[in-house]
Amino acid sequence: MPSCTKPLSYCWLLGLMLWLATAEAEDHGAVVRRAEIVKSTSDWYVDAYIDYRLSSTAKEALHKGIPLTWKVYIEIRRPGVLWDQKLYRQKIRYTLQYHALLNQYAVQMEGLQTEMFLSLHAALNDMATLHRALVKPAGLADTDKEYSLAVKTQFHRESLPVPLRPFTYLDRDWSLSSDWLICPIP
């Protein structure tokens, strides 16, 4: 009889460890909360909100002067039989950096002027709102077909200093990317 309870206690312990691992992993990362496509008179725009939450390891690296970079991917897809056809793909690059002498955070969006913020919370909120990003999809005017908008953000490990990169692939604290959020286009 004691041999039957031993495997049960191991299963319970394994379940507890898995639960703790997933609970800890949800404290940081990025999540695309919403995304929608808006049509103006002649152009299409994407509005999205991405929730960025840094781990303590990423915050420590940021405060030691290491810039953190994400790439936001926007795709317009047409569902297919075997796979979706990508009609349009855009990449927007964000870099977050801490300036110790100024005690401020800088957010650089590719191709735009750097914005400075007094708090990390304010800098992350600025990065979170993707407002009126212009998209130019070819063939979206065909209203007979279904289309979907897909948005994700990916932490760019290759922009980190070379000695730090191998650790980011092994340490869950550097899992700062999101999954795809796919929304139908009305």
Side-chain angles (χ1 to χ4, degrees), residues 35-48 74 76 90 130-137 140 149:
E36 63 183 346
I37 195 158
V38 180
K39 184 175 180 1
S40 71
T41 54
S42 61
D43 293 321
W44 295 87
Y45 296 95
V46 172
D47 288 339
I74 300 170
I76 295 179
Q90 180 181 0
L130 184 63
H131 183 65
R132 310 250 331 146
L134 180 65
V135 294
K136 298 185 180 189
L140 194 59
L149 170 68

Side-chain angles (χ1 to χ4, degrees), residues 50-140:
I50 304 167
D51 186 13
Y52 293 96
R53 286 179 280 157
L54 301 181
S55 65
S56 58
T57 305
K59 284 180 188 175
E60 181 182 352
L62 181 67
H63 287 121
K64 289 184 178 180
I66 297 173
L68 306 178
T69 303
W70 286 265
K71 292 181 181 178
V72 177
Y73 293 96
I74 300 170
E75 293 182 355
I76 295 179
R77 303 174 179 176
R78 182 174 36 216
V81 178
L82 296 176
W83 55 80
D84 293 348
Q85 177 186 6
K86 294 177 188 169
L87 300 175
Y88 179 80
R89 184 174 176 132
Q90 180 181 0
K91 175 179 61 175
I92 302 170
R93 184 180 170 124
Y94 285 95
T95 301
L96 174 66
Q97 189 169 11
Y98 176 68
H99 295 282
L101 291 175
L102 299 173
N103 194 25
Q104 291 185 347
Y105 298 86
V107 174
Q108 170 67 47
M109 187 173 157
E110 192 172 40
L112 295 177
Q113 186 176 358
T114 303
E115 297 284 331
M116 301 297 284
F117 299 92
L118 295 175
S119 71
L120 178 59
H121 181 72
L124 291 174
N125 276 343
D126 181 66
M127 288 174 49
T129 306
L130 184 63
H131 183 65
R132 310 250 331 146
L134 180 65
V135 294
K136 298 185 180 189
L140 194 59

